[in-house]
Amino acid sequence: QVQLVESGGGLVQAGGSLRLSCAGSGRPFTWYPLGWFRQTSGKAREFVAAITTSGTRTMYSDSVKGRFTISRDNTKYTMYLQMDSLKPEDTARYYCMPVDYNDGDDQSRPSSDAWGQGTPVTVSS
């Protein structure tokens, strides 16, 4: 199983940008489609975005479509989430996970239950 570590979170004003990173532990990183999820206190984790192993196909939740961009660099074993036009409702802890990616689905689900620490994002109004 791949080990993943999130970073890049912080405090930003509404309308600003942040880029999150998800670093993998080595070659196994390239074997999995990956996704981003987020969770706020008292709520269930929700799907944000996913990307195939090659990085050629992506999917997004309706709430972030057009504002967030998921990408990956398999040579660096790193996945990214570029977040633009941030809104206070984007405030959450963000997690990266391997996912089951199926074309035609409106979201991807984690293929593991080994959640990491995540990285916190706070968007002030």
Side-chain angles (χ1 to χ4, degrees), residues 1 45 96-98 109-116:
Q1 184 62 282
R45 283 191 184 96
C96 60
M97 287 286 280
R109 290 171 176 76
S111 59
S112 165
D113 59 0
W115 295 92

Side-chain angles (χ1 to χ4, degrees), residues 30-72:
T30 67
W31 303 342
Y32 300 91
L34 299 171
W36 287 98
F37 299 81
R38 65 188 182 185
Q39 185 174 29
T40 54
S41 179
K43 294 187 177 182
R45 283 191 184 96
E46 66 170 340
F47 169 76
V48 175
I51 189 166
T52 54
T53 52
S54 63
T56 55
R57 299 193 305 282
T58 58
M59 68 170 68
Y60 299 90
S61 68
D62 288 343
S63 61
V64 307
K65 198 173 296 182
R67 300 186 299 120
F68 291 10
T69 303
I70 189 172
S71 62
R72 67 191 294 166

Side-chain angles (χ1 to χ4, degrees), residues 11-34:
L11 173 64
V12 64
Q13 288 189 329
S17 298
L18 277 176
R19 188 176 80 157
L20 305 184
S21 297
C22 171
S25 55
R27 186 165 175 76
F29 175 91
T30 67
W31 303 342
Y32 300 91
L34 299 171

Side-chain angles (χ1 to χ4, degrees), residues 84-101:
D84 298 318
S85 302
L86 281 160
K87 304 175 181 180
E89 51 263 45
D90 295 317
T91 295
R93 183 168 289 270
Y94 285 71
Y95 302 84
C96 60
M97 287 286 280
V99 298
D100 292 322
Y101 189 109

